[in-house]
Amino acid sequence: MCLALPALVVERRDGDEALVDLGGVRKSVSLALVPEAVPGDYVIVHVGFAIGRLDPEEAARTLALFAELEAGR
């Protein structure tokens, strides 16, 4: 099973690299597949690559679902 997570772009770095926030964890990812992403955008991250931009409302709903799943453990 593959899982892609919504992440907030915090800053653009050299080349296609960006710093994203994944639920409080900051990670460097590639924006090669989503070069139009800018800080403040939500992107879907899979294995170190942003694979698409995500509407902020959709990102909030998805993150809320993950939080519910975590709370139900």
Side-chain angles (χ1 to χ4, degrees):
M1 176 170 86
C2 295
L3 183 62
L5 301 170
L8 178 65
V9 178
V10 176
E11 70 179 57
R12 293 286 309 235
R13 294 190 167 165
D14 291 337
D16 293 328
E17 294 296 309
L19 180 68
V20 298
D21 185 292
L22 290 153
V25 175
R26 292 195 171 195
K27 176 177 172 64
S28 183
V29 300
S30 172
L31 294 180
L33 301 174
V34 192
E36 70 277 8
V38 296
D41 282 349
Y42 279 92
V43 292
I44 296 293
V45 176
H46 179 66
V47 293
F49 288 86
I51 59 174
R53 286 177 54 213
L54 188 61
D55 176 85
E57 292 174 5
E58 182 64 26
R61 285 192 297 270
T62 302
L63 292 169
L65 286 172
F66 281 121
E68 285 181 36
L69 289 171
E70 182 65 26
R73 291 177 116 198

